[in-house]
Amino acid sequence: MRAITQKTFGGPEVLELVDDAPKPAPGPTQVLIRVKATSVNPVELFVRSGAFPLLGEPPFVLGWDVSGVVEQVDPGVHRFKVGDEVYGMPYFPAAAGANAEYVVAPARQLARKPAGISHEEAAALPLVGLTAWHALVEIARVRPGQRVLIHGAGGGLGHVAVQVAKHLGAEVVGTASAAKHDFLRGLGADQLVDYRTQDYTEVLRDAPVDVVLETLGDGNAERSFGVLRQGGVLVTAVERLSTTLPELAKRSGVRFAAVGVEPDSAGLEALGELVEAGRLRVHLQQVFPLDRLAEAHEVLAAGGVQGKLAITV
């Protein structure tokens, strides 16, 4: 089968298309998926470069997000049958190898692809969607009427988190460049701060928030304690291993939590229901063919992506 592999750590140029990668076979509890689309997430750039050697030493095939069609089913699997359209992010943080024509995955780490959207849109949702769901629904337990601040609101995780927070009944504040403000208003954002020209700590000084979802790093978590109400919660997707933020949160009278995404069929099903109800949509800035995956990595690394980048396989 075709796949994108890498033999060494490095820049996008280390990503190599091969035509003779071994086609996987499903084992117990697994299905074989003919991949229709995948997507690119920031974690893959760090793994590819060696900055975050999550998969050990190369060679390996990157990619977790997947949408496709079930081609083979282990006899013990009853959730799906051959021909079903499914999506998910199997095995994360272990290797899934989604940048390929076929992947195998445990059936209970997948869900049926939401109806009415493309495989590219479906493939762009699992990792960012489950991160937003875990952060806002399960960790922060957002309630109607609360104010939620989402940093990087126009990006892959951010634009999905805006919609999940609105679904939960929150008033949503987002930081994003001015060029993305109309887009975010269309997704339901109530207040937007242009991080290039405004200081959100000043803007929100007299209008604090109940929840912060921090997606950027660069000291934003520490600064965000100043805009949280007493008893509020800051959830970070990037500074998960910080040893100083928990103590700072305690002194500020707020709760600190790190979100670590994992495969979750129930979460995928909940996200799919929102998509089918018209309450959640995935915005694709650009779709690349598999043989241009390196270019997609370059675009994501350059920053400023609105929504997600998808890969057609």
Side-chain angles (χ1 to χ4, degrees), residues 124-160:
L125 180 57
L127 196 147
V128 295
L130 288 176
T131 303
W133 190 263
H134 293 166
L136 299 176
V137 176
E138 299 176 4
I139 298 174
R141 299 186 291 276
V142 172
R143 302 185 303 277
Q146 288 189 314
R147 280 170 56 82
V148 175
L149 170 61
I150 297 170
H151 287 295
L157 171 55
H159 89 289
V160 172

Side-chain angles (χ1 to χ4, degrees), residues 3-83:
I4 299 287
T5 187
Q6 63 180 89
K7 298 175 182 176
T8 185
F9 292 124
E13 70 279 356
V14 303
L15 298 173
E16 177 185 355
L17 178 66
V18 297
D19 295 318
D20 58 352
K23 180 179 176 181
T29 78
Q30 296 179 335
V31 300
L32 175 68
I33 303 167
R34 185 170 74 254
V35 179
K36 293 292 188 179
T38 181
S39 80
V40 183
N41 296 287
V43 64
E44 286 138 53
L45 278 61
F46 292 111
V47 176
R48 183 210 70 225
S49 70
F52 184 32
L54 189 63
L55 303 181
E57 293 288 326
F60 48 69
V61 176
L62 278 173
W64 283 277
D65 283 335
V66 62
S67 182
V69 179
V70 174
E71 186 160 291
Q72 187 178 341
V73 179
D74 175 76
V77 171
H78 302 283
R79 283 173 57 83
F80 305 111
K81 64 181 185 303
V82 172

Side-chain angles (χ1 to χ4, degrees), residues 195-269:
Y195 68 89
R196 292 177 176 173
T197 61
Q198 297 174 289
D199 182 343
Y200 65 85
T201 63
E202 293 293 332
V203 174
L204 302 177
R205 182 183 300 277
D206 298 321
V209 300
D210 302 283
V211 176
V212 174
L213 176 56
E214 212 297 278
T215 71
L216 301 174
D218 295 327
N220 273 296
E222 183 173 347
R223 296 182 67 225
S224 293
F225 288 133
V227 302
L228 271 169
R229 301 183 196 276
Q230 290 288 299
V233 57
L234 185 146
V235 184
T236 179
V238 289
E239 298 188 59
R240 299 172 54 250
L241 302 181
S242 172
T243 58
T244 59
L245 290 174
E247 182 59 32
L248 288 172
K250 184 177 180 180
R251 293 207 300 263
S252 300
V254 301
R255 181 163 64 96
F256 171 83
V259 58
V261 68
E262 58 186 311
D264 175 8
S265 61
L268 289 170
E269 289 166 356

